[in-house]
Amino acid sequence: DIDHLNLRVQKELVEWLNWLKADIGFDGWRFDFAKGYSADVAKIYIDRSEPSFAVAEIWTSLAYGGDGKPNLNQDQHRQELVNWVDKVGGKGPATTFDFTTKGILNVAVEGELWRLRGTDGKAPGMIGWWPAKAVTFVDNHDTGSTQHMWPFPSDRVMQGYAYILTHPGTPCIFYDHFFDWGLKEEIDRLVSVRTRHGIHSESKLQIIEADADLYLAEIDGKVIVKLGPRYDVGNLIPGGLKVAAHGNDYAVW
C-alpha cells in the first residue's frame, strides 16, 4: 500500500509525474481507484504536475430498488462524482468517468429508454449536471473485456455509442469494441458526425422523447439521435434531414 499522506511519497510521485510529462511525453493522468485516497491528495498531484487532462475512476454502486434495477433518481451517485471534481478544482483539468450514465444506459437499452430523461428533464447521469467534467464510456477494462464485472448488453453496444458520441461530455471508446468486435466502421461514422458538427463536452442537449421503446434527442440544434426499436418517428424529425449513421435500433440525422 502507498501512504499518500506521507510527504516524501507525495514529493516522489510528483517528481515521477513530471518526469513522465517532460521526458516521456505523457500529458494526462488517469487516477485509478480514486476512492482509495482523498481528493485533497489528488489535487496535490494535479496542481504540482499540471497535466492538460486528468480523469478519476470513482466507481460506486448505484441506488437500486426492490426489483433489482437502478432507481430513476441517481442524484446521490452523480453528486459524489461532482464533489470530487469540486474538491480537486473545478477550473482545472480534472474530470471523472461518468459511471452514473454507464449504469443507467446498461439498463435503459433493454427496453427502458424512459430512464434517459431524468426527473428534471435533463440527462440523468453526470452529463446532466456538469458535462464538461464527465468522461462517458460504454465499457472499460474492468466492466467489460475479460473481467466482465459490469458489462454493457453485448447486442446493444452500438446504441451506447450512438448515445455517448452524440451527447455532451467527453466520450471515450473501448479498445475491445473498436479493434476486436468489428465495430470500427460504425463507431468511426459516429465520431465523424460528432467532429463534423462540432459537438463538444458542453453541447446543448434537448430531449424530445423518452419512452420504453424510443429515445429521441437533439444536440446543438444540429444533430438528432434516435435509440430504440420504434420505427415510425417521421412526425418527430424535421423535414430535410439526412441519416448520417444508423445500425441496430439506432439512427443519427
Side-chain angles (χ1 to χ4, degrees):
D1 289 350
I2 296 175
D3 180 6
H4 288 280
L5 297 178
N6 183 299
L7 295 181
R8 181 182 170 187
V9 169
Q10 291 177 8
K11 178 177 178 290
E12 291 185 355
L13 278 174
V14 167
E15 287 174 354
W16 178 64
L17 290 172
N18 282 311
W19 173 79
L20 287 172
K21 221 175 111 181
D23 289 22
I24 308 300
F26 285 100
D27 61 357
W29 315 132
R30 175 189 182 274
F31 288 91
D32 191 50
F33 190 61
K35 293 191 302 176
Y37 43 93
S38 73
D40 295 328
V41 168
K43 178 176 171 59
I44 290 170
Y45 298 143
I46 290 173
D47 288 351
R48 296 181 188 173
S49 64
E50 297 184 339
S52 61
F53 180 77
V55 59
E57 180 200 43
I58 303 165
W59 184 358
T60 55
S61 178
L62 271 64
Y64 288 89
D67 59 358
K69 292 185 178 180
N71 296 335
L72 179 61
N73 186 321
Q74 295 293 337
D75 286 357
Q76 186 175 346
H77 191 269
R78 55 181 172 171
Q79 187 66 56
E80 187 174 359
L81 303 178
V82 165
N83 289 347
W84 189 90
V85 175
D86 258 336
K87 288 178 182 174
V88 171
K91 293 181 180 178
T95 65
T96 63
F97 287 112
D98 190 349
F99 276 92
T100 318
T101 290
K102 151 73 172 165
I104 293 169
L105 261 179
N106 268 23
V107 180
V109 296
E110 301 271 35
E112 299 182 3
L113 291 165
W114 49 268
R115 291 178 176 275
L116 296 180
R117 176 160 54 193
T119 52
D120 58 2
K122 298 178 182 180
M126 187 181 177
I127 58 170
W129 279 0
W130 204 355
K133 297 296 185 178
V135 175
T136 51
F137 67 103
V138 174
D139 264 326
N140 64 26
H141 61 285
D142 289 322
T143 67
S145 196
T146 53
Q147 297 202 57
H148 230 59
M149 291 170 68
W150 199 29
F152 203 86
S154 59
D155 58 336
R156 299 168 196 263
V157 160
M158 283 308 306
Q159 286 187 58
Y161 281 111
Y163 184 88
I164 69 169
L165 289 171
T166 57
H167 278 52
T170 302
C172 60
I173 296 162
F174 186 36
Y175 182 101
D176 293 28
H177 293 158
F178 196 74
F179 291 105
D180 300 339
W181 285 39
L183 300 176
K184 181 179 186 295
E185 286 187 14
E186 269 192 273
I187 292 172
D188 266 340
R189 277 195 293 273
L190 292 168
V191 171
S192 295
V193 170
R194 186 179 186 89
T195 305
R196 193 161 62 243
H197 294 283
I199 297 172
H200 54 88
S201 63
E202 297 183 87
S203 284
K204 184 185 177 188
L205 172 67
Q206 182 196 352
I207 298 171
I208 301 167
E209 197 70 68
D211 292 331
D213 62 345
L214 172 68
Y215 172 79
L216 195 69
E218 184 178 69
I219 300 89
D220 282 345
K222 299 175 182 175
V223 170
I224 292 179
V225 60
K226 183 211 101 162
L227 305 181
R230 192 188 301 180
Y231 182 76
D232 184 16
V233 294
N235 60 316
L236 298 171
I237 306 292
L241 290 184
K242 292 182 179 178
V243 175
H246 65 90
N248 184 28
D249 287 346
Y250 78 89
V252 179
W253 289 264

